[in-house]
Amino acid sequence: MRRCPYDPAPEYARLREEAPVSRISFPGGGTGWLVTRYQDVRAMLADPRFSSRQGTTAPQVRPVPAALPEPPPGALLRLDEPEHRTYRRPVMRAFTVKQVTRLRPRIQRITDDHLDAMERDGGPVDLVAALALPVTSLVICELLGVSYADRGAFQGLAGRLLAVDISPEQSAQDRAALAAFMTDLVAAKRRDPGDDLISALIAEADADPDSPLTDHALTILGALLLIAGHETTANMISLGALTLLDHPDQLAAWRARPELADRAVEELLRYLTIIQFGLARVATEEVTLGGRTIRAGEMVVAALPSANRDPLMGLADPDRLDITRSPAPHLAFGFGPHQCLGQQLARAELQITLGSLFARFPTLRTAVPTAELPFRDDMIIYGLHALPVTW
Ligand code: HEM
């Protein structure tokens, strides 16, 4: 368990020292391995002998199903090579540095509109509801061609699907609702294409008889992008803002030198590593990792928050937040073939929202003590359920 809202559980430090690849029992039954060192996590995530197909979300805190059904087409997170790359490649093109650079003025506009509204309405406001969630949701909606008016539907589903205590029945029900929402969207784009990613992928699939992008695959892919594309970054925005408010020397450094935005965001991503449970893989054959023998069929979990604080990752004092340090090769976006597809978009959103927020409100402060804030200890993606601020 966390003792400080910005630090991972202190037990990780002991495990890295004494048992970097250690046996764990999952709360919902079964056993597996927990990998806590930076080098071992990197090696594991890049190793094709560890499969994502039977990997389940956050087995440390959620029941492990006896057997997962076959992954549907387009379910990037659960596919292995070479199938995985046939779906990832066409989508990747929309998320390159170049494409994201084109989106920056639009992200800035959306951010400014929300900061204007905050200024107009006055504090205190909940920064999650007033800035973090609407900016990231609007950006991914525009990109995919989803109507922002439908945000109530998918934000609610995302909120539940990422909770650690969701029941299998509720999870199945929510997944079905999300699939139905995306099926309607793909059908609507087929009838009436727009200037958006889903329409572009439909056109690409129609032009290539060998394309794996069936309408069914597009609904799965689209749902992943929609959920992964706003929850993660929204939590990084609110938690990043709070972290800076609680580290005034770091905030002062960013305000004095706005050109530090790149470094500051990279350091916040590393320091906070919000994917707090998972990532899970299953060994397809016997593998030696960190001196331990993992047998075929065993589940292995990479603890990203631990890896990014490992003294052996080569950073001076990794437990210290230092937004001026040279960007570290951190693992907050994962590593290997499944490394986050939306990372350039996330970086741009974080640089723009956090930079603009602190420039606009020089006296920004939290409206309740940090100890009383609702942290997301109960979610796979760490962050805040709400962040009341004033100025
Ligand atoms: C701060 C924000 C974000 C963080 C910390 C984050 C983190 C991650 C991590 C750790 C993975 C690897 C999962 C694994 O290996 O099993 C991942 C994958 C992924 N992320 Fe992100 N993500 C963020 C933002 C985004 C955004 C904005 C998008 C959307 C456009 C996105 C889309 C995806 C997709 C589609 C995958 C699956 C890639 C694959 O399996 O090939 N993420 N993300």
Side-chain angles (χ1 to χ4, degrees):
M1 280 296 289
R2 288 175 192 265
R3 314 252 159 84
C4 157
Y6 311 115
D7 291 337
E11 288 78 11
Y12 282 136
R14 188 184 55 78
L15 284 174
R16 280 194 308 262
E17 277 283 312
E18 295 172 9
V21 178
S22 57
R23 271 260 173 227
I24 49 166
S25 297
F26 300 127
T31 56
W33 298 92
L34 185 68
V35 184
T36 47
R37 275 193 191 159
Y38 178 82
Q39 287 300 351
D40 292 338
V41 167
R42 260 173 82 114
M44 167 197 156
L45 293 177
D47 189 333
R49 293 173 298 172
F50 289 113
S51 164
S52 291
R53 286 179 82 83
Q54 291 301 313
T56 177
T57 331
Q60 307 99 302
V61 285
R62 273 186 175 179
V64 178
L68 279 179
E70 276 292 290
L76 287 184
L77 285 166
R78 288 194 48 216
L79 295 175
D80 292 335
E81 306 309 340
E83 193 184 3
H84 167 256
R85 81 172 74 93
T86 65
Y87 293 102
R88 181 168 163 121
R89 205 183 288 130
V91 191
M92 201 62 217
R93 282 182 227 126
F95 293 95
T96 57
V97 175
K98 199 166 151 198
Q99 289 304 327
V100 171
T101 303
R102 287 209 188 117
L103 288 176
R104 288 186 81 106
R106 184 66 194 135
I107 301 171
Q108 184 71 60
R109 181 73 260 149
I110 294 173
T111 302
D112 289 345
D113 287 348
H114 286 80
L115 295 176
D116 289 348
M118 276 172 62
E119 207 169 0
R120 198 174 51 237
D121 300 343
V125 300
D126 170 15
L127 200 73
V128 175
L131 185 74
L133 212 44
V135 170
T136 53
S137 302
L138 261 167
V139 169
I140 197 70
C141 278
E142 285 193 10
L143 218 138
L144 293 179
V146 173
S147 157
Y148 186 59
D150 290 335
R151 67 188 177 283
F154 69 77
Q155 283 176 354
L157 290 171
R160 283 201 299 277
L161 282 168
L162 294 165
V164 297
D165 56 357
I166 186 172
S167 68
E169 296 75 32
Q170 183 68 55
S171 169
Q173 210 175 316
D174 286 345
R175 277 172 206 284
L178 186 58
F181 178 81
M182 291 308 299
T183 304
D184 288 350
L185 179 77
V186 172
K189 295 292 163 194
R190 205 164 250 303
R191 281 193 308 272
D192 184 16
D195 181 16
D196 56 68
L197 182 58
I198 300 285
S199 300
L201 291 171
I202 292 174
E204 187 177 323
D206 286 352
D208 174 7
D210 296 328
S211 169
L213 294 175
T214 58
D215 281 7
H216 179 48
L218 280 175
T219 63
I220 309 283
L221 206 46
L224 171 64
L225 289 169
L226 189 59
I227 303 296
H230 77 279
E231 271 280 329
T232 42
T233 321
N235 278 294
M236 259 314 290
I237 292 172
S238 49
L239 190 63
L242 175 69
T243 307
L244 289 166
L245 289 171
D246 272 354
H247 293 76
D249 58 325
Q250 301 295 310
L251 179 54
W254 188 348
R255 277 193 166 122
R257 294 172 58 199
E259 71 278 9
L260 283 177
D262 287 20
R263 286 184 177 209
V265 163
E266 248 14 72
E267 175 69 348
L268 286 168
L269 285 162
R270 178 195 73 83
Y271 186 73
L272 297 169
T273 311
I274 58 170
I275 309 290
Q276 60 175 347
F277 302 121
L279 313 171
R281 305 286 192 263
V282 172
T284 55
E285 55 185 271
E286 193 171 290
V287 184
T288 305
L289 185 69
R292 304 299 298 262
T293 303
I294 295 163
R295 289 196 308 270
E298 289 187 318
M299 185 167 289
V300 190
V301 179
L304 300 183
S306 169
N308 278 340
R309 297 291 190 97
D310 185 351
L312 297 178
M313 82 180 279
L315 286 188
D317 198 358
D319 278 328
R320 189 166 50 86
L321 177 74
D322 177 0
I323 65 155
T324 63
R325 69 166 101 225
S326 296
H330 64 74
L331 305 176
F333 289 121
F335 192 70
H338 292 274
Q339 193 179 81
C340 181
L341 188 137
Q343 57 185 287
Q344 302 305 345
L345 178 61
R347 288 188 170 103
E349 289 178 330
L350 282 160
Q351 291 161 12
I352 292 170
T353 51
L354 289 174
S356 308
L357 171 72
F358 287 113
R360 178 75 72 100
F361 299 105
T363 58
L364 193 79
R365 59 190 184 282
T366 46
V368 294
T370 300
E372 289 168 25
L373 289 169
F375 288 97
R376 291 170 46 116
D377 295 310
D378 54 342
M379 306 297 275
I380 294 169
I381 300 170
Y382 186 59
L384 287 148
H385 289 293
L387 176 58
V389 292
T390 193
W391 52 91

